[in-house]
Amino acid sequence: MNNLVSVPKNGSLANSNLNQNFPTLSNWLDDIFNRDLPSVFASNFNTGITLPKVNIKETADAFMVEMAVPGLKKSDFHIAIDNQVLSIATETKAEKEYEEENYTRREFGYSSFKRTFTLPESVNDDTINASYNEGLLTILLPKKEEAKQKPARSIKIT
């Protein structure tokens, strides 16, 4: 806030902003309209799923994709392979109806996400499998035999 100081002809300093502790109507309206509205309404309108984080591990025999997505059912997922692209998607809809004496209240929500990953040529896409247990989706991507890491061996000199 800008504090203006006026110097009267008698030389004394006087603060021209005497009511600075009292908000003006325009300050009050600015405060209302400049608030972070998404945080105000987050509890009522932000019911969608955010993009879940993924862990990808590589072993000598396979790649493992883990995704934490609690609160869903196995049937909510759609996992597909197309042209060496793995896609993991889900779409859920929820609707609740509450009937009271004088009114009916309906609440509904919709959430979805889709993650895609380009698979390396070393993945054997015929043997991919997935499991979902206690909120953790795990997809095992076995490697082709020729791509598997072979153990070290000694070569005898003849």
Side-chain angles (χ1 to χ4, degrees):
M1 187 176 252
N2 199 4
N3 285 332
L4 299 176
V5 178
S6 62
V7 180
K9 291 186 180 186
N10 65 5
S12 67
L13 293 177
N15 189 347
S16 65
N17 211 355
L18 296 176
N19 293 325
Q20 72 183 31
N21 292 332
F22 297 104
T24 64
L25 179 61
S26 65
N27 289 345
W28 183 74
L29 290 173
D30 285 346
D31 184 47
I32 288 175
F33 290 110
N34 290 329
R35 281 187 189 157
D36 187 15
L37 291 179
S39 68
V40 173
F41 296 116
S43 63
N44 294 327
F45 295 106
N46 189 13
T47 58
I49 296 175
T50 58
L51 200 59
K53 303 285 187 201
V54 175
N55 293 330
I56 300 175
K57 299 177 194 173
E58 181 178 9
T59 65
D61 298 329
F63 295 95
M64 184 181 301
V65 177
E66 295 176 322
M67 183 181 292
V69 280
L72 299 175
K73 301 177 294 224
K74 290 179 188 180
S75 60
D76 291 334
F77 293 98
H78 178 70
I79 302 171
I81 299 276
D82 186 23
N83 270 346
Q84 290 299 106
V85 175
L86 171 71
S87 65
I88 306 165
T90 185
E91 181 178 346
T92 59
K93 297 175 185 175
E95 189 170 318
K96 295 178 184 175
E97 188 169 314
Y98 305 94
E99 292 191 25
E100 294 291 327
E101 213 173 281
N102 297 329
Y103 66 92
T104 299
R105 182 179 76 188
R106 292 179 62 202
E107 293 182 358
F108 56 91
Y110 173 85
S111 60
S112 68
F113 73 83
K114 183 175 185 177
R115 298 282 315 252
T116 59
F117 305 92
T118 301
L119 300 178
E121 291 291 325
S122 60
V123 171
N124 182 356
D125 60 0
D126 294 329
T127 57
I128 295 173
N129 63 57
S131 63
Y132 182 69
N133 187 21
E134 294 185 13
L136 185 65
L137 177 66
T138 304
I139 302 172
L140 185 64
L141 307 160
K143 293 181 179 177
K144 295 176 182 174
E145 275 307 311
E146 61 270 15
K148 290 183 180 178
Q149 197 174 37
K150 295 182 173 51
R153 62 181 179 99
S154 292
I155 299 175
K156 193 173 196 177
I157 302 173
T158 56

